[in-house]
Amino acid sequence: MSDLYTLSKIRTDYLRDNYLFVGADGNIGRAWKEAAEAFGFRLNQSSPSRYQVPGVSCNENLKEAIVGTDIICTDSIPSSMIEDFKDYQISKELMSIANENAILNPCPPFYKGEEVTEDVINSDYFVGYEFKKNLLRVQQAILIYCLST
């Protein structure tokens, strides 16, 4: 939710953007799926098929999947899956084939040389660490809402 809140501050049509999740089925992928269902934006995934988030369209070819994408989200790759995800690393070159003004939003902790390359983290595609500054604000708002209902 905090990522969507932050996106709403920097992208006019963030709910019309095309999102791509690159990672394995887990809490981050499922959170993006739930957000897509709740807010109505388009979410696809790129990963080996055995790591597909249930109910999310998955393209195993990352180079094909990234075409037409505006927001690329990643998750950390567990050490047991590193070999399976060796062809799913987001680089500056890959970002250049996404839509114009596409951004990379890796979920921390992210690791250069695993799910992202150093050159993409040092590029304008990377949203930066500013995205996480709203995390506490959004968590507090959710707690206040839950406690007041």
Side-chain angles (χ1 to χ4, degrees), residues 54-146:
V56 175
S57 176
C58 186
N59 185 337
E60 291 184 59
N61 184 315
L62 178 56
K63 198 168 189 174
E64 288 176 5
I66 205 166
V67 173
T69 301
D70 301 294
I71 313 292
I72 294 84
C73 310
T74 68
D75 192 11
S76 299
I77 306 298
S79 59
S80 62
M81 297 179 194
I82 291 291
E83 186 60 28
D84 295 339
F85 277 88
K86 69 180 187 303
D87 296 327
Y88 293 88
Q89 188 178 73
I90 304 298
S91 66
K92 189 174 176 182
E93 179 183 348
L94 262 177
M95 289 297 297
S96 72
I97 62 174
N99 284 347
E100 186 176 349
N101 298 318
I103 59 174
L104 172 64
N105 180 27
C107 182
F110 54 86
Y111 300 96
K112 298 173 191 171
E114 291 183 13
E115 67 271 24
V116 293
T117 59
E118 187 166 346
D119 68 338
V120 78
I121 294 301
N122 295 327
S123 75
D124 291 336
Y125 295 115
F126 178 53
V127 295
Y129 301 97
E130 292 293 311
F131 252 52
K132 298 309 168 197
K133 77 178 182 182
N134 289 318
L135 184 58
L136 182 59
R137 291 181 188 140
V138 171
Q139 288 172 333
Q140 288 171 330
I142 292 169
L143 282 172
I144 290 169
Y145 174 80
C146 289

Side-chain angles (χ1 to χ4, degrees), residues 1 3-5 7-19 32 34-43 70-71:
M1 297 237 349
D3 286 356
L4 287 174
Y5 173 75
L7 281 167
S8 77
K9 301 298 181 195
I10 64 171
R11 295 185 71 92
T12 306
D13 291 327
Y14 74 103
L15 294 178
R16 291 192 178 140
D17 283 337
N18 292 319
Y19 291 70
W32 280 110
E34 290 175 12
E37 291 170 349
F39 292 97
F41 60 83
R42 183 171 169 239
L43 174 69
D70 301 294
I71 313 292

